[in-house]
């Protein structure tokens, strides 16, 4: 029987990277959720208003995100099911299951709202496209990306999203090399501290935009699609389950998953940190940087049109990639909890409507982004608590269940994230 032997449940006999490069990918796709327009707005505002003060929040959030995404992926690998599927089978009461689905669905739609708006704003900045038309274009392109996933499977979809992630990285980090941050300021920002309620609000916003419920749901499903079953065997065949749960195979996949999550979080964390440092070094005290349009204008004025264009291109890629992954997560939530599967493209059309309505009503895009983060805050406990509880259960994962220290780390991360998201809700709703 295999035994866990470390905080992250790695086998003592396997420490080198997996030989099969093709095993990497699901975490890179899920990691796009950490680079969506909400992250850009939060990190840019934090750097412009507080300089290097909240560097430690980005770093701490990335560390917690690593653990959470690994647990989500492990659930999909070991069980062959996504988190919504496992919960759908455990929630026997029909109304409890429907209530859970409703909050998860609202969270996914709020996420999608932010991503469509981000894409629309980017098209407006680049080509002066009206926001409503930009929302249509962003939604249409995301439908094309989802068609790739529908017709070609998980791997081609991963390649497309990873390519967009590369564009996002270049777009958002280019300015840091043009105007580097102060090393002493960066080091000083690693010391945990706040300066008033405003910095607490932004810290909670950064974490709320970093660790999002739909990324947890999506990662378990992405890992299931790639690794949770052997497609060459008939699903009803008893040999299928034996092949899927063979210990050496699971061990190899979990090793690959740890590398996959590590690479994805290094990229996502570096980009988020780069956005904050870019603003801290070049936009400190500049008015109007609390909006995407204002940040773009400030970059153009301070660093030139080339850096500003890179930023807008990165924002566009961010909106396109993250809204595609968000639609995938939403479809999985419906399938897993309601046992209803509707075509992914049809669901894309349905979830596109709220964003287009808001754009059509000329609602301030920045306000819409802030409100979407508030909705996300409500959904954090409903994703984190079941994830940590299920991965700690031998009933669910057998010998692959978390070690005690892994569970403790998951509980601590969950408590901190839930507390900060509660603070975000309080500060936003009370206007503090």
């Amino acid at each position: 029987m295999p035994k866990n032997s470390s905080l992250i449940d790695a086998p003592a006999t396997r420490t080198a990277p997996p030989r099969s490069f093709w095993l990497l990918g699901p975490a890179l796709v899920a990691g796009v959720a950490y680079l969506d327009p909400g992250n850009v707005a939060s990190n840019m505002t934090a750097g412009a208003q507080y300089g290097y003060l909240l560097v430690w929040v980005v770093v701490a959030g990335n560390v917690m995100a690593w653990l959470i995404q690994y647990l989500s992926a492990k659930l999909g690998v070991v069980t062959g099911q996504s988190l919504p599927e496992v919960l759908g089978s455990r929630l026997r009461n029909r109304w409890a299951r429907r209530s859970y689905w409703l909050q998860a669905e609202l969270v996914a739609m709020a996420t999608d709202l932010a991503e469509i708006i981000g894409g629309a704003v980017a098209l407006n900045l680049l080509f002066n496209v009206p926001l409503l038309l930009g929302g249509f274009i962003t939604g249409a392109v995301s439908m094309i990306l989802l068609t790739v996933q529908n017709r070609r499977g998980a791997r081609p979809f991963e390649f497309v999203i990873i390519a967009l992630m590369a564009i996002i990285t270049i777009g958002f980090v280019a300015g840091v090399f043009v105007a580097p941050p102060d090393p002493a300021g960066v080091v000083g920002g690693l010391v945990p501290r706040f300066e008033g309620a405003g910095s607490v609000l932004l810290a909670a916003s950064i974490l709320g935009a970093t660790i999002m419920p739909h990324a947890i749901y999506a990662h378990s499903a992405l890992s299931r699609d790639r690794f949770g079953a052997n497609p060459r065997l008939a699903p009803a065949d008893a040999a299928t389950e034996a092949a899927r749960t063979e210990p050496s195979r699971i061990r190899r996949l979990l090793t690959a998953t740890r590398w996959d999550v590590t690479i994805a979080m290094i990229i996502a964390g570096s980009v988020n940190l780069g956005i904050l440092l870019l603003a801290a070094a070049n936009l400190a005290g500049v008015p109007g940087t609390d909006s995407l349009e204002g940040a773009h204008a400030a970059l153009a004025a301070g660093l030139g049109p080339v850096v500003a264009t890179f930023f807008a291109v990165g924002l566009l890629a961010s909106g396109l990639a993250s809204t595609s992954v968000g639609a995938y997560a939403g479809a999985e939530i419906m399938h897993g909890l309601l046992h209803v599967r509707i075509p992914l493209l049809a669901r894309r059309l349905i979830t596109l409507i709220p964003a287009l309505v808001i754009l059509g009503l000329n609602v301030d895009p920045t306000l819409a982004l802030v409100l979407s983060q508030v909705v996300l805050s409500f959904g954090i406990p409903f994703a984190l608590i079941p994830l940590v509880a299920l991965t700690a259960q031998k009933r669910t994962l057998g010998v692959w269940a978390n070690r005690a220290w892994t569970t403790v780390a998951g509980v601590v991360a969950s408590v901190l994230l839930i507390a900060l998201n509660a603070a975000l809700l309080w500060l936003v709703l009370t206007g503090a």
Side-chain angles (χ1 to χ4, degrees):
M1 296 291 285
K3 295 182 179 180
N4 299 326
S5 58
S6 76
L7 176 64
I8 57 173
D9 311 317
T13 58
R14 184 68 180 264
T15 57
R19 295 180 180 178
S20 300
F21 181 76
W22 72 270
L23 293 175
L24 305 179
L28 291 170
V29 175
V32 165
Y34 294 82
L35 299 173
D36 80 336
N39 290 83
V40 180
S42 298
N43 289 308
M44 189 67 73
T45 302
Q49 293 188 4
Y50 291 96
Y52 302 102
L53 178 71
L54 300 180
V55 166
W56 68 274
V57 176
V58 177
V59 175
N62 210 56
V63 172
M64 289 187 284
W66 186 99
L67 176 62
I68 290 165
Q69 293 306 135
Y70 171 68
L71 293 181
S72 175
K74 183 169 78 164
L75 182 71
V77 169
V78 177
T79 66
Q81 294 181 299
S82 67
L83 177 58
E85 284 178 320
V86 175
L87 291 172
S89 65
R90 299 288 179 88
L91 294 172
R92 302 294 184 182
N93 184 283
R94 180 174 58 181
W95 293 108
R97 190 170 67 250
R98 288 179 177 177
S99 297
Y100 189 95
W101 163 78
L102 180 60
Q103 64 80 28
E105 193 70 41
L106 289 174
V107 166
M109 292 180 71
T111 303
D112 203 40
L113 170 67
E115 292 155 354
I116 291 292
I117 289 176
V121 170
L123 287 170
N124 178 262
L125 295 174
L126 287 168
F127 309 110
N128 202 30
V129 175
L131 289 177
L132 181 58
L133 178 58
F136 272 110
I137 294 173
T138 303
V141 174
S142 71
M143 291 181 69
I144 295 173
L145 298 181
L146 291 171
T147 300
V148 172
Q149 199 273 346
N150 264 350
R151 298 186 177 181
R152 299 300 182 92
R155 196 57 172 164
F157 181 65
E158 288 175 5
F159 285 140
V160 173
I161 298 300
I162 291 170
L164 287 172
M165 178 180 273
I167 296 173
I168 294 168
T169 302
I170 295 171
F172 289 149
V173 176
V176 176
F177 293 96
V178 175
D182 173 33
V186 177
V187 173
L190 293 172
V191 180
R193 65 194 191 281
F194 295 108
E195 289 181 3
S199 63
V200 177
L201 174 61
L202 274 172
S205 182
I206 290 171
L207 291 176
T210 299
I211 301 172
M212 295 186 288
H214 85 283
I216 299 172
Y217 299 129
H219 201 169
S220 60
L222 289 163
S223 296
R224 174 208 61 197
D225 290 349
R226 281 286 302 279
F227 309 130
N230 188 335
R232 294 171 293 185
L233 299 174
D237 190 343
T240 303
E241 184 66 11
R244 187 185 68 76
T245 58
E246 199 274 321
S248 63
R249 178 178 183 272
I250 296 295
R251 184 181 297 110
R252 179 169 178 255
L253 291 178
L254 291 180
T255 300
T257 295
R258 282 187 287 274
W259 281 96
D260 194 22
V261 174
T262 299
I263 293 170
M265 291 301 100
I266 287 175
I267 294 173
S270 298
V271 173
N272 282 317
L273 185 59
I275 294 170
L276 188 148
L277 296 180
L278 175 65
N282 303 282
L283 305 181
V286 177
T289 51
D290 55 349
S291 69
L292 294 174
E293 301 93 332
H296 177 266
L299 287 174
L303 299 180
V306 174
V307 171
T309 299
F310 269 96
F311 174 82
V313 170
L315 181 63
L316 178 59
S318 168
L320 294 174
S322 54
T323 193
S324 301
V325 175
Y328 172 90
E332 183 59 37
I333 289 167
M334 179 173 287
H335 165 64
L337 292 167
L338 297 187
H339 310 302
V340 173
R341 189 182 291 277
I342 65 172
L344 195 55
L345 296 182
R347 193 187 184 285
R348 163 76 286 177
L349 285 173
I350 294 171
T351 56
L352 188 59
I353 294 173
L356 295 179
V357 169
I358 287 178
L359 290 172
L361 293 174
N362 292 319
V363 175
D364 178 30
T366 301
L367 175 61
L369 285 173
V370 171
L371 293 177
S372 72
Q373 297 306 307
V374 173
V375 176
L376 289 177
S377 298
F378 282 107
I380 283 286
F382 294 100
L384 282 181
I385 294 173
L387 176 68
V388 175
L390 287 169
T391 53
Q393 291 177 352
K394 290 189 178 295
R395 167 192 172 191
T396 304
L397 296 189
V399 295
W400 305 106
N402 300 338
R403 287 175 60 86
W405 284 110
T406 307
T407 300
V408 169
V411 169
V412 170
S414 299
V415 169
L416 289 174
L417 288 168
I418 291 170
L420 276 172
N421 276 276
L424 171 63
L425 286 173
W426 173 258
L427 292 171
V428 169
L429 296 177
T430 61

